[in-house]
Amino acid sequence: MLSLSVDSVYVHKVWNESELSKMVPGGVPFPMLSDPGGAIGREYNVYNEDTAVDLRGTFIIDPDGVIQGYQVLTSVVGRSTDEIIRQIHAFQIVRESKEKEFTPADWKPGMTVLKPAVELVGRVWEMWKPVRTRE
Amino acid sequence: MIKAGKPAPDFAAPAYYQGRFTHVELSRYREQWVVLYFYGGDYTFV
């Protein structure tokens, strides 16, 4: 986990000490990167030239350095860490299976995975019956 | 140009990490899963 904003490392330090350490025991457990001027943000297409800060961009990168997925939100809505963790679990399971197993919509850890095969075509409805947990 | 399924652009940046100022290079994180988490600014919700 690497966080990035245009703030300096000095502001990161003070923010961690004065506020974040009150929310997370021991403070932030990952490196807080500084990208003044937004060069990295531009590279990842999340830098907002009008406000001179980054959008809420999340990128999942696999052990080969390949971007497996990303999401970008404007500044008004915060992210779901549960969803990010779910996606990483899913990508890890697929990778461990050497892409023999895939995870369908609304999959969560512990649920059935799908093994693509000719026999599965037209029969996903039998294999995969996600339970709606939301009203 | 960012694309899912394509290599992540490498970068190096100064960082604050557990009481120290340090330097992070994305390429050092090969063999690990990485989440890059951009946000607008310190003292906001992220």
Side-chain angles (χ1 to χ4, degrees), chain A residues 63-77:
Chain A
D64 296 322
V66 172
I67 297 173
Q68 288 295 345
Y70 60 88
Q71 178 196 46
V72 184
L73 303 177
T74 56
S75 62
V76 292
V77 171

Side-chain angles (χ1 to χ4, degrees), chain A residues 8-26:
Chain A
S8 72
V9 290
Y10 307 103
V11 179
H12 287 338
K13 177 177 188 287
V14 175
W15 186 30
N16 181 54
E17 289 174 356
S18 68
E19 186 172 48
L20 297 177
S21 57
K22 292 173 183 150
M23 300 155 80
V24 183

Side-chain angles (χ1 to χ4, degrees), chain A residues 4-122:
Chain A
L4 302 98
S5 78
V6 298
D7 299 284
S8 72
V9 290
Y10 307 103
V11 179
H12 287 338
K13 177 177 188 287
V14 175
W15 186 30
N16 181 54
E17 289 174 356
S18 68
E19 186 172 48
L20 297 177
S21 57
K22 292 173 183 150
M23 300 155 80
V24 183
V28 173
F30 48 79
M32 302 171 73
L33 278 57
S34 172
D35 180 29
I40 301 170
R42 280 193 192 88
E43 190 92 57
Y44 281 80
N45 203 26
V46 295
Y47 185 71
N48 183 337
E49 301 283 348
D50 297 331
T51 55
V53 297
D54 290 318
L55 300 164
R56 299 181 192 283
T58 309
F59 297 81
I60 297 174
I61 301 172
D62 75 14
D64 296 322
V66 172
I67 297 173
Q68 288 295 345
Y70 60 88
Q71 178 196 46
V72 184
L73 303 177
T74 56
S75 62
V76 292
V77 171
R79 280 159 278 200
S80 163
T81 46
D82 284 348
E83 172 58 8
I84 296 165
I85 291 167
R86 186 196 73 86
Q87 290 174 356
I88 294 169
H89 275 306
F91 279 121
Q92 287 176 336
I93 278 184
V94 172
R95 186 179 172 92
E96 281 163 19
S97 79
K98 305 219 184 298
E99 302 199 359
K100 296 245 169 38
E101 298 174 346
F102 293 162
T103 65
D106 289 335
W107 177 90
K108 291 188 182 70
M111 286 183 170
T112 313
V113 293
L114 296 182
K115 294 178 178 144
V118 173
E119 302 78 53
L120 187 64
V121 176

